[in-house]
């Protein structure tokens, strides 16, 4: 950023300005689901307590259960990172602003502006914390003073499925006396949307390997 641009942020000595894509997940995820269904996929909603429940119905299991993998497959390396954001009405804001440490950000969207946030490791709380709300508005208003007059539309809490490294691998698991291939694809933390297509392609490649090996075994 130029010296003139940085005058808006007197507490900062360096900044970058660029154009990029912002994904509206409230629209993007339903679009992905419809794409999956049109391709022949079927969506079933149920609670799965163990992989054994699936072994008799499927030849290959792809595990994308995020934080659920802690109990589903006993992964002690996955843990929550709590995030809280606000949706505010501020149509005059047209550009995103993010502080360097990622603890304060302002993302204009189609219907509202998202301001955040928090990164609370090991915190499973899904309830809105009023102290977090106050802190978020305080930090973001320092970046963009006009936010102090914005109307808060909603508050939201989510848990990021964090892991030191995302788990994208295949393993053979013994379930009900049979060896069942399981492809894991989870632990993306706050980078789920960013990494999703890449790790999905990797996971599909692992599924294809399993199918090829199963075909060879059938021929033998």
């Amino acid at each position: 950023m130029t010296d003139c641009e940085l005058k808006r942020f007197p507490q900062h000595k360096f900044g970058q300005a660029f154009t990029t894509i912002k994904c509206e997940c409230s629209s993007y995820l339903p679009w992905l689901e419809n794409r999956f269904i049109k391709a022949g996929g079927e969506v079933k909603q149920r609670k799965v307590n163990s992989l054994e429940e699936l072994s008799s119905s499927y030849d290959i299991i792809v595990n994308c259960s995020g934080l659920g993998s802690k109990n589903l497959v006993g992964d002690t390396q996955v843990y929550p990172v709590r995030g809280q954001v606000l949706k505010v009405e501020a149509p005059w804001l047209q550009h995103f602003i993010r502080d360097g440490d990622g603890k304060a950000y302002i993302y204009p969207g189609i219907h509202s502006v998202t301001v955040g946030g928090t990164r609370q490791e090991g915190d499973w709380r899904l309830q809105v914390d009023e102290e977090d709300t106050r802190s978020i508005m305080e930090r973001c208003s320092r970046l963009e003073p006009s936010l102090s007059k914005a109307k808060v539309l909603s508050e939201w809490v989510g848990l990021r499925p964090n892991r030191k490294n995302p788990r994208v691998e295949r393993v053979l698991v013994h379930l009900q006396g049979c060896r069942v291939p399981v492809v894991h694809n989870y632990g993306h933390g706050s980078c789920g949307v960013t990494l999703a297509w890449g790790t999905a392609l990797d996971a599909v490649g692992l599924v294809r390997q399993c199918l090829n090996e199963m075909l060879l075994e059938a021929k033998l």
Side-chain angles (χ1 to χ4, degrees):
M1 296 174 71
T2 64
D3 290 342
C4 183
E5 289 172 322
L6 277 172
K7 285 181 180 178
R8 283 190 59 198
F9 312 103
Q11 69 274 36
H12 293 78
K13 295 182 179 179
F14 173 80
Q16 294 176 313
F18 56 92
T19 300
T20 185
I21 295 170
K22 178 182 181 295
C23 181
E24 293 274 347
C25 285
S26 58
S27 301
Y28 177 57
L29 294 179
W31 176 81
L32 280 179
E33 183 179 11
N34 288 332
R35 189 173 184 267
F36 172 70
I37 292 170
K38 285 180 180 178
E42 185 179 351
V43 177
K44 296 181 180 179
Q45 188 171 349
R46 55 176 282 199
K47 183 176 181 179
V48 178
N49 295 300
S50 69
L51 296 181
E52 280 81 357
E53 297 176 25
L54 306 173
S55 61
S56 60
S57 303
Y58 303 97
D59 297 316
I60 299 174
I61 298 171
V62 181
N63 172 34
C64 304
S65 60
L67 278 176
S69 294
K70 189 174 186 69
N71 294 322
L72 188 63
V73 296
D75 189 341
T76 58
Q77 295 184 52
V78 65
Y79 60 94
V81 176
R82 182 180 178 276
Q84 180 170 319
V85 298
L86 315 177
K87 299 285 187 180
V88 303
E89 189 174 40
W92 60 88
L93 295 181
Q94 300 296 315
H95 302 284
F96 79 89
I97 305 172
R98 181 183 184 275
D99 207 349
D101 60 10
K103 292 180 180 178
Y105 50 82
I106 303 164
Y107 294 137
I110 296 171
H111 304 296
S112 61
V113 177
T114 302
V115 297
T118 64
R119 291 189 59 83
Q120 297 153 329
E121 294 189 5
D123 192 334
W124 290 88
R125 291 177 301 142
L126 288 170
Q127 300 79 22
V128 170
D129 186 314
E130 293 305 322
E131 178 58 28
D132 285 337
T133 296
R134 186 199 61 76
S135 176
I136 288 168
M137 286 302 295
E138 185 179 282
R139 281 180 273 125
C140 290
S141 293
R142 284 200 294 266
L143 290 175
E144 177 54 64
S146 68
L147 273 176
S148 60
K149 62 182 180 180
K151 178 184 177 183
V152 176
L153 301 173
S154 63
E155 300 165 283
W156 184 82
V157 174
L159 302 179
R160 305 173 181 95
N162 240 60
R163 205 171 181 275
K164 184 178 180 181
N165 297 300
R167 187 181 185 187
V168 184
E169 64 175 350
R170 63 170 185 155
V171 295
L172 276 176
V173 180
H174 289 271
L175 303 172
Q176 297 184 352
C178 300
R179 291 195 310 165
V180 180
V182 176
V183 174
H184 295 291
N185 182 18
Y186 66 87
H188 300 67
S190 59
C191 300
V193 175
T194 306
L195 301 179
W197 283 92
T199 57
L201 289 171
D202 287 342
V204 167
L206 295 174
V207 169
R208 286 181 175 145
Q209 287 180 23
C210 295
L211 290 172
N212 288 336
E213 290 174 6
M214 291 166 70
L215 183 62
L216 286 173
E217 288 180 6
K219 288 181 179 179
L220 292 175

Short mmCIF file of all heavy atoms in Angstrom, two decimals, residues 49 51 100 113 134 144 150 177:
data_model
loop_
_atom_site.label_atom_id
_atom_site.label_comp_id
_atom_site.label_asym_id
_atom_site.label_seq_id
_atom_site.Cartn_x
_atom_site.Cartn_y
_atom_site.Cartn_z
N ASN A 49 -22.16 -43.62 14.71
CA ASN A 49 -21.34 -43.75 15.92
C ASN A 49 -20.03 -44.48 15.68
O ASN A 49 -19.08 -44.31 16.44
CB ASN A 49 -22.15 -44.46 17.01
CG ASN A 49 -23.35 -43.64 17.45
OD1 ASN A 49 -23.21 -42.53 17.93
ND2 ASN A 49 -24.55 -44.19 17.27
N LEU A 51 -17.59 -46.68 12.32
CA LEU A 51 -17.49 -47.08 10.91
C LEU A 51 -18.11 -48.45 10.68
O LEU A 51 -18.53 -48.77 9.56
CB LEU A 51 -16.02 -47.08 10.47
CG LEU A 51 -15.31 -45.72 10.48
CD1 LEU A 51 -13.88 -45.87 9.99
CD2 LEU A 51 -16.06 -44.70 9.63
N GLY A 100 -3.17 -7.94 10.17
CA GLY A 100 -2.12 -8.90 9.87
C GLY A 100 -2.19 -10.19 10.65
O GLY A 100 -1.88 -11.27 10.13
N VAL A 113 -22.28 -7.53 6.01
CA VAL A 113 -20.83 -7.48 6.20
C VAL A 113 -20.49 -8.38 7.38
O VAL A 113 -21.10 -8.29 8.45
CB VAL A 113 -20.36 -6.04 6.46
CG1 VAL A 113 -18.85 -6.01 6.74
CG2 VAL A 113 -20.70 -5.14 5.28
N ARG A 134 -18.30 -7.72 22.00
CA ARG A 134 -17.79 -6.37 22.30
C ARG A 134 -16.37 -6.20 21.79
O ARG A 134 -16.02 -5.18 21.17
CB ARG A 134 -17.84 -6.15 23.82
CG ARG A 134 -17.47 -4.73 24.24
CD ARG A 134 -17.09 -4.66 25.70
NE ARG A 134 -15.93 -5.50 26.01
CZ ARG A 134 -14.67 -5.18 25.70
NH1 ARG A 134 -14.41 -4.05 25.05
NH2 ARG A 134 -13.69 -6.00 26.00
N GLU A 144 -12.00 0.29 10.90
CA GLU A 144 -13.01 0.99 10.11
C GLU A 144 -13.98 1.68 11.07
O GLU A 144 -14.98 1.10 11.49
CB GLU A 144 -13.76 0.00 9.19
CG GLU A 144 -14.88 0.60 8.38
CD GLU A 144 -14.43 1.80 7.56
OE1 GLU A 144 -13.59 1.64 6.66
OE2 GLU A 144 -14.93 2.91 7.85
N ALA A 150 -22.95 0.77 12.53
CA ALA A 150 -23.57 -0.34 11.81
C ALA A 150 -24.52 -1.11 12.72
O ALA A 150 -24.25 -1.31 13.91
CB ALA A 150 -22.50 -1.27 11.26
N GLY A 177 -15.00 -58.38 10.41
CA GLY A 177 -14.32 -59.48 9.75
C GLY A 177 -13.86 -59.20 8.34
O GLY A 177 -13.29 -60.09 7.68
#
